[in-house]
Amino acid sequence: MPIIFFGTRGISWTVDSGEFHCPRCSEKVPYKLKSTRPWFTVYFIPLFPVGGSERHVECRECGGAFREDVLDYRAPKDSSQDYAAELYEELEAGKSIETIRRKLERLGMSPTRSEEMIDEMTRGKVWSCPECGFHYLYSVKPCPKCTTSK
Ligand SMILES: [Zn+2]
Ligand SMILES: [Zn+2]
């Protein structure tokens, strides 16, 4: 009987990926959900899987490994999320882009940042009223300002 070099080696593969709140980075970063299963090896060559597979979440920023339930963690909701939703409702209700931008700037957001945020919300689906020059969502037509002043 020759001496057989045997052992096990964990082989892992990516099951899923996405973004999560990493406890170590304490921010939202990309992750990989990995499944690892030990394989029986002979001369370091994996022959067949043994035992069950185990899953863990790997942070792609810091490389930390966590239990799968770390994905259930939701960052505490802050008021800015409600506020963004509120602003979008106002846009849909007929407020001009300029009005919303002024509100954001009053909150202390820089003009570039507020423009970015609005671009993100409207996805460029915006038209400008030839009468007053204000910008509105496509769904807001005719211009609420001009129709009310007439
Ligand atoms: Zn991390
Ligand atoms: Zn108008």
Side-chain angles (χ1 to χ4, degrees):
M1 188 74 182
I3 297 164
I4 301 179
F5 287 96
F6 66 90
T8 54
R9 190 167 102 192
I11 293 184
S12 50
W13 64 97
T14 303
V15 184
D16 200 7
S17 59
E19 283 195 323
F20 82 130
H21 185 92
C22 173
R24 207 187 291 172
C25 304
S26 51
E27 58 181 327
K28 216 176 165 193
V29 287
Y31 74 87
K32 275 183 179 172
L33 176 62
K34 290 191 142 182
S35 195
T36 307
R37 201 164 181 195
W39 281 63
F40 188 83
T41 60
V42 174
Y43 293 109
F44 312 107
I45 296 166
L47 291 182
F48 47 86
V50 288
S53 56
E54 271 176 30
R55 281 146 72 110
H56 73 274
V57 173
E58 188 183 292
C59 173
R60 298 179 74 174
E61 277 308 309
C62 67
F66 308 97
R67 283 169 37 161
E68 202 179 343
D69 57 15
V70 77
L71 296 181
D72 296 334
Y73 178 84
R74 293 278 169 272
K77 206 171 179 241
D78 63 60
S79 55
S80 63
Q81 289 169 314
D82 288 337
Y83 196 65
E86 213 171 278
L87 288 179
Y88 191 71
E89 274 170 27
E90 287 185 29
L91 274 178
E92 283 187 312
K95 286 264 166 61
S96 70
I97 306 284
E98 284 78 3
T99 310
I100 303 302
R101 189 178 299 167
R102 259 203 315 279
K103 283 194 170 193
L104 286 173
E105 284 171 26
R106 264 207 304 272
L107 279 180
M109 207 182 255
S110 77
T112 1
R113 279 301 285 163
S114 23
E115 204 177 311
E116 276 171 15
M117 183 165 162
I118 287 169
D119 280 351
E120 204 67 53
M121 277 181 175
T122 59
R123 296 263 152 208
K125 295 194 182 328
V126 163
W127 68 287
S128 84
C129 166
E131 290 288 324
C132 63
F134 284 108
H135 292 72
Y136 302 94
L137 282 182
Y138 278 164
S139 52
V140 180
K141 254 181 191 178
C143 167
K145 255 196 174 58
C146 299
T147 45
T148 47
S149 62
K150 261 175 202 162

